[in-house]
């Protein structure tokens, strides 16, 4: 049983304290009420309404097409299911880059219309004005560096980022800048473990990794990936904690067979 279950609600302050106490932070994504309800009750610290909804919920190849309205729809479903976890919502592509006023408007819509507790933005120095303006309105911001999927067409590949010194130096500089601006936590995606460990040591705010090794302050995975719902996505960092694909496949096949053979419904299942 996790010690932090005794805390009624997870706050940004509580996450900061967890880092000070060397207590690891567990974060997973969710996009709908039913899954979020189970996840929140399990004692998860942070639920991320990720723009990965674009991939796993809508079937898009990238995270770019998802809209602010769609993110608000997913986030409000998750918020209705959450009693304890901190709910962080991704600002989708095109709603904060290059225009800090628009960024603030987008973040305010997320907070007002979904009831989420914080927003997450991808990038460092280039989005610093947007981060500052959102923070100035009292909205907690989580940063995201390393592999930032909204920039996939700039990278051209989903391989590990910041392997070269120049990119690693920029990442460290961006991480320090984001902390200075006031973000409450930082996600580092798909970077060398050594670099992620160094950043986590240098920063006072919690650093949550995905494909960034164990030397950070917490971990995040996409729920559908860790539940083994898809067979065709197997990056090295992914650990599958269940094989729901096989379980669901069997259940669907059994249902179809029962309907066809009139084994469902039976006498007790009718009026
Ligand atoms: O959208 C998402 O799911 C994310 C995580 C991979 C960190 O940003």
């Amino acid at each position: 049983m996790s010690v932090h279950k005794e805390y009624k609600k997870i706050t940004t302050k509580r996450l900061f304290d967890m880092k000070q106490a060397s207590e690891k932070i567990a974060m997973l994504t969710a996009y709908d009420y039913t899954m979020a309800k189970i996840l929140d009750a399990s004692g998860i610290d942070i639920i991320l309404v990720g723009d990965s909804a674009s991939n796993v919920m809508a079937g898009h190849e990238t995270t770019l097409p998802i809209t602010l309205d769609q993110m608000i729809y997913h986030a409000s479903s998750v918020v209705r299911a959450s009693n304890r976890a901190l709910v962080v919502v991704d600002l989708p592509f095109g709603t904060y880059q290059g225009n800090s006023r628009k960024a603030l408007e987008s973040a305010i819509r997320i907070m007002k219309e979904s009831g989420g507790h914080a927003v997450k933005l991808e990038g460092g120095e280039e989005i610093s004005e947007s981060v500052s303006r959102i923070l100035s309105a009292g909205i907690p911001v989580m940063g995201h560096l390393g592999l930032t999927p909204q920039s996939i067409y700039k990278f051209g590949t989903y391989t590990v980022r910041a392997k070269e010194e120049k990119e690693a130096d920029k990442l460290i500089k961006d991480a320090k800048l984001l902390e200075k601006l006031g973000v409450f936590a930082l996600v580092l995606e798909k970077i060398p473990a050594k670099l992620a460990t160094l950043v986590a040591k240098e920063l006072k705010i919690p650093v949550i990794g995905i494909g960034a090794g164990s030397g950070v302050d917490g971990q995040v995975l996409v729920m559908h990936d860790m539940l083994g719902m898809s067979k065709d996505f197997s990056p090295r960092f992914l650990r599958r904690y269940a094989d729901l694909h096989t379980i669901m496949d069997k259940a669907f096949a059994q249902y179809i067979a029962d309907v066809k053979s009139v084994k469902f419904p039976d006498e007790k299942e009718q009026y």
Side-chain angles (χ1 to χ4, degrees):
M1 178 68 65
S2 140
V3 291
H4 54 258
K5 271 208 160 182
E6 68 204 47
Y7 286 85
K8 212 165 179 298
K9 279 199 190 283
I10 300 290
T11 60
T12 55
K13 157 91 171 60
R14 169 76 188 120
L15 296 170
F16 187 81
D17 292 345
M18 284 168 79
K19 170 156 181 159
Q20 302 306 303
S22 299
E23 186 186 343
K24 298 283 185 187
I25 296 164
M27 166 164 151
L28 282 172
T29 66
Y31 319 97
D32 70 283
Y33 176 84
T34 304
M35 296 294 231
K37 189 138 182 97
I38 299 169
L39 182 56
D40 185 75
S42 73
I44 198 81
D45 299 310
I46 306 175
I47 300 180
L48 172 66
V49 185
D51 59 358
S52 49
S54 179
N55 311 107
V56 294
M57 301 303 286
H60 293 296
E61 205 175 312
T62 72
T63 57
L64 275 68
I66 200 158
T67 65
L68 188 56
D69 284 337
Q70 288 165 341
M71 286 303 296
I72 289 169
Y73 167 78
H74 287 298
S76 53
S77 308
V78 169
V79 168
R80 279 192 289 276
S82 307
N83 289 314
R84 178 183 175 278
L86 187 86
V87 179
V88 180
V89 186
D90 266 341
L91 278 187
F93 177 68
T95 65
Y96 62 94
Q97 296 96 338
N99 183 338
S100 63
R101 285 179 197 281
K102 190 172 171 192
L104 177 57
E105 266 171 38
S106 309
I108 287 176
R109 278 203 61 202
I110 296 255
M111 301 299 282
K112 264 183 161 341
E113 295 176 39
S114 79
H117 309 137
V119 294
K120 177 163 80 59
L121 282 70
E122 295 182 7
E125 209 235 315
E126 56 287 348
I127 57 147
S128 60
E129 215 181 290
S130 293
V131 170
S132 296
R133 200 178 277 271
I134 294 170
L135 285 166
S136 73
I139 300 172
V141 173
M142 177 180 268
H144 184 157
L145 297 172
L147 177 65
T148 46
Q150 291 179 13
S151 305
I152 190 57
Y153 289 112
K154 182 178 86 181
F155 298 144
T157 161
Y158 283 101
T159 54
V160 182
R161 302 307 313 173
K163 284 208 294 201
E164 309 300 330
E165 200 178 323
K166 196 168 159 213
E167 197 178 331
D169 287 346
K170 172 161 165 41
L171 188 142
I172 294 167
K173 222 171 123 201
D174 280 342
K176 287 183 176 169
L177 172 67
L178 289 172
E179 175 170 77
K180 199 164 156 217
L181 293 176
V183 308
F184 73 93
L186 176 64
V187 167
L188 291 180
E189 180 165 353
K190 227 171 170 187
I191 63 167
K194 225 169 140 182
L195 175 62
T197 304
L198 176 83
V199 174
K201 278 205 177 108
E202 294 270 322
L203 300 192
K204 289 204 170 60
I205 56 167
V207 174
I208 320 272
I210 172 165
S214 61
V216 287
D217 308 304
Q219 299 293 329
V220 56
L221 285 174
V222 168
M223 179 200 268
H224 292 62
D225 297 339
M226 62 81 75
L227 289 177
M229 294 182 88
S230 65
K231 294 264 182 212
D232 48 6
F233 181 65
S234 296
R236 178 162 150 183
F237 67 76
L238 174 62
R239 185 179 296 180
R240 290 194 170 89
Y241 285 84
D243 183 3
L244 287 200
H245 190 283
T246 304
I247 292 171
M248 290 170 78
D249 196 40
K250 274 193 193 147
F252 295 149
Q254 188 63 54
Y255 170 75
I256 294 164
D258 286 355
V259 170
K260 305 264 179 201
S261 61
V262 202
K263 284 193 181 135
F264 175 78
D266 65 16
E267 286 209 343
K268 284 181 266 152
E269 290 161 330
Q270 58 194 8
Y271 301 97

